[in-house]
């Protein structure tokens, strides 16, 4: 499987989880939370896969989004633009990074 295919597969699977019906039984709230966290984890894998595609030839030491999108991250034009998006809470990437930071926190 190519890198692009893997990224697309992860995005598709995350979307399936995010859109899964929850039901209305006594476990509905916990099921919704589990589906949201599972979808976010897949979105994180997709973000890492996407960044691996973008930086394929850059010979970087890491592929972690936290490092690549940081303000003091590698000086690549693509990463600079994505880093700017990640720091903009109104952008799709800013929203995702905020949710991923919450996912890694103690509160989930």
């Amino acid at each position: 499987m190519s890198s692009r295919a893997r990224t697309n597969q992860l995005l598709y699977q995350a979307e399936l989880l995010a859109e899964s019906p929850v039901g209305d039984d006594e476990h509905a709230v916990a099921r919704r939370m589990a589906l949201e966290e599972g979808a976010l984890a897949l979105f994180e894998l997709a973000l890492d896969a996407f960044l691996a595609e973008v930086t394929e030839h850059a010979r970087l030491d890491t592929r972690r989004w936290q490092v690549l999108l940081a303000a003091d991250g590698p000086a690549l034009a693509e990463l600079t633009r994505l880093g700017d998006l990640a720091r903009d809470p109104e952008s799709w990437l800013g929203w995702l990074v905020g949710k991923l930071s919450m996912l890694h926190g103690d509160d989930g």
Side-chain angles (χ1 to χ4, degrees), residues 67-85:
V67 174
L68 296 179
L69 299 180
D72 60 347
L76 296 173
E78 296 88 349
L79 294 179
T80 300
R81 176 67 182 119
L82 289 168
D84 290 344
L85 270 177

Side-chain angles (χ1 to χ4, degrees), residues 83-106:
D84 290 344
L85 270 177
R87 287 180 291 284
D88 177 4
E90 299 295 318
S91 73
W92 65 271
L93 189 52
W95 176 87
L96 180 59
V97 165
K99 293 294 184 183
L100 292 176
S101 296
M102 289 172 54
L103 179 67
H104 287 283
D106 291 337

Side-chain angles (χ1 to χ4, degrees), residues 35-98:
L35 288 168
E36 286 176 2
E37 288 198 10
L40 278 172
L42 282 173
F43 277 125
E44 182 173 31
L45 288 174
L47 179 59
D48 283 340
F50 169 69
L51 290 172
E53 284 182 61
V54 169
T55 62
E56 180 180 1
H57 302 292
R59 295 185 179 156
L60 300 174
D61 294 336
T62 185
R63 304 275 180 167
R64 294 181 54 229
W65 64 266
Q66 296 94 330
V67 174
L68 296 179
L69 299 180
D72 60 347
L76 296 173
E78 296 88 349
L79 294 179
T80 300
R81 176 67 182 119
L82 289 168
D84 290 344
L85 270 177
R87 287 180 291 284
D88 177 4
E90 299 295 318
S91 73
W92 65 271
L93 189 52
W95 176 87
L96 180 59
V97 165

